[in-house]
Amino acid sequence: MAANTDIRLQNQVIYSVYVRNHTPEGTFRAVIPDLDRIKALGTDIIWFMPIHPIGVQGKKGSLGCPYANRDYRTVNPAYGTMEDFKALVDEIHARGMKCMIDVVYNHTSPDSTLYAQHPEFFFHGKDGRPGNKIGDWADVIDLDYENRALWDYQIGSLKMWAEIVDGFRCDVASFVPLEFWEAARRAVEEVRPGCVWLGETVHQSYGCHARRAGIYSMLDYDVYSAFDIEYDYDTREVFDKYLRGEIALSHYLDFLNYQEGAYPANYNKLRCLENHDQPRICAFVKDERALESYTAFLYFMKGTTLIYAGQEFKNDHTPSLFEREPIDRAGRDISGLMRRLYEIKSREFGGADWYEAQADDAHDIAVCQRGGNGRRFVGVFSLKAESDDAAVPVPDGTYENLIDGRSVTVEGGKHMCTETPAACRERFARIDARLKESEGQLRLHREDINQLMVLTARLGEKINMLANSMRALTRALWGVAGAVITALLGFFFWYVQSL
């Protein structure tokens, strides 16, 4: 983790907004009336996908991709003015939330302001033309961070935005030198102390492919020296395989357990079921009860939770990045469930928790644990909405399901897992057990004390008897000594007289 990372981020929720598709109007101002709902959902940080002007040259679709940035220091006029954006940020702050914006520092659009002013800041291929090193990204050209003047420009842009917002989500952060991000973090801290840094690390296979091709790509472990949170793309491909039915649940959970030993203490992974680059979870999970279990499983995981706008309405269509496709709010609203899960996450869990997960592959049941500071929580999630006995690592007894308040019974080390997710606190059971153990130990201590008191009394009697004997002996010795002295004196006087 970065040296000054706020550990509270572990149990916070980020809500992702694509301004173009969030409302029918697709503007900054149109988001403001929705802020109360977003806050009530259980949101700490609102992350806006790129808000900058979009390049026209080589654009994708009819409106272009927001990640083909044309100007780092202005806003997309289709969304409104800079004043409109600042008004939106003020409203976010007024509700106790933070604002994070997307920064795309690996590349720009070919017709960007920066390329027009500083073509030397860009990567050029063997043909001498600007381009990109990897990927099918025909609408962008890569920046060249070997030019230190580029660092000054980019850090200047970040400091400008840090006067307004509270954090940055850094696109394909793995492809930008770590030393740059470290320098940027130090500089921004002077403007916005506590600025939140979220790094989009790349998929494991993608990073390995880049390194094999001789292209710089940071290891996920190293990213933490500059970032507070990073993507969980080191396990995402495994999760996708599970969703497609290609591997067992235990395979995915083994990867989550591996993270516990592979990263720095208190590492923070951004946990999500979906995002703008991934299909909607409802495209895979059609059963409503199973979706509730997936959602509870998400919030129970260690790390910051990401909600992609529309997820709360069970959207199954992934909106295009290149067209206007407002999110569908007509679906069943699961905001109530998310709100309860947020309350559990923010109130109960610790920032330095450990985490462990086990699987019942026969029924696709995940049994997860997390805890710290004498507290332990156990979550049981039936990801296929099947009911069966699940082995749970808690003493037999009755526990409260923190999600719905119902009782959960553990008997013979097993819990009858239903389609309803369960998350229970073991703290009270453990305290009761400790109290009983302490009471037993106290009884033993009392018995020992009583026995010690009896022995002490007996010892006192012996000491008194010995003292009396010593006094009698002393008197006898003094009597003998007196008789001896008297006899000696008598002999002395007789001797003197005989002379």
Side-chain angles (χ1 to χ4, degrees), residues 279-450:
R280 294 282 194 183
I281 188 63
C282 287
F284 297 100
V285 181
K286 302 297 184 181
D287 186 284
E288 185 173 308
R289 299 164 302 172
L291 178 65
E292 291 182 356
S293 287
Y294 268 98
T295 304
F297 172 70
L298 169 67
Y299 277 79
F300 193 88
M301 294 174 77
K302 178 178 175 177
T304 304
T305 300
L306 173 67
I307 300 301
Y308 183 38
Q311 184 175 338
E312 68 271 40
F313 300 115
K314 295 180 60 177
N315 284 189
D316 58 6
H317 171 67
T318 303
S320 171
L321 290 177
F322 320 130
E323 308 294 344
R324 177 169 292 168
E325 294 184 355
I327 59 175
D328 181 6
R329 299 170 189 252
R332 182 177 179 276
D333 190 347
I334 59 171
S335 296
L337 172 63
M338 289 182 169
R339 189 176 305 112
R340 290 196 299 275
L341 295 172
Y342 172 76
E343 291 170 356
I344 296 169
K345 185 178 185 75
S346 59
R347 182 185 67 242
E348 299 284 355
F349 299 157
D353 282 359
W354 52 266
Y355 181 87
E356 181 181 355
Q358 301 296 326
D360 174 354
D361 285 333
H363 301 92
D364 290 274
I365 296 173
V367 179
C368 307
Q369 304 178 64
R370 62 178 297 166
N373 295 324
R375 296 155 57 91
R376 182 161 71 104
F377 300 85
V378 177
V380 183
F381 311 102
S382 181
L383 302 184
K384 294 292 178 65
E386 293 189 12
S387 298
D388 196 74
D389 283 338
V392 290
V394 296
D396 288 359
T398 301
Y399 302 83
E400 178 192 4
N401 186 346
L402 299 176
I403 299 174
D404 60 14
R406 297 179 183 177
S407 295
V408 173
T409 301
V410 178
E411 186 174 350
K414 292 188 176 182
H415 157 61
M416 170 51 75
C417 177
T418 65
E419 62 274 8
T420 302
C424 303
R425 182 197 303 111
E426 197 207 359
R427 177 179 56 172
F428 298 132
R430 293 179 68 182
I431 290 176
D432 291 343
R434 288 174 180 171
L435 286 174
K436 291 178 181 178
E437 180 182 355
S438 299
E439 289 172 358
Q441 292 176 347
L442 183 58
R443 284 194 296 271
L444 292 175
H445 293 329
R446 285 172 178 168
E447 293 174 2
D448 292 340
I449 291 171
N450 290 334

Side-chain angles (χ1 to χ4, degrees), residues 236-270:
R236 181 72 202 196
E237 290 166 313
V238 184
F239 180 60
D240 290 342
K241 287 180 179 179
Y242 172 68
L243 288 177
R244 295 193 297 265
E246 298 172 6
I247 59 171
L249 175 61
S250 59
H251 190 173
Y252 171 57
L253 298 187
D254 285 346
F255 271 73
L256 297 184
N257 292 333
Y258 178 77
Q259 288 179 334
E260 282 288 285
Y263 293 111
N266 304 327
Y267 70 97
N268 190 349
K269 289 282 187 177
L270 184 70

Side-chain angles (χ1 to χ4, degrees), residues 68-100:
N69 186 332
R70 198 172 72 222
D71 192 330
Y72 284 117
R73 299 185 177 183
T74 60
V75 298
N76 189 338
Y79 297 167
T81 64
M82 181 68 81
E83 288 67 31
D84 292 333
F85 178 68
K86 289 180 178 179
L88 172 56
V89 175
D90 287 343
E91 293 292 340
I92 290 170
H93 288 162
R95 290 162 175 80
M97 296 182 287
K98 292 184 176 181
C99 177
M100 172 185 289

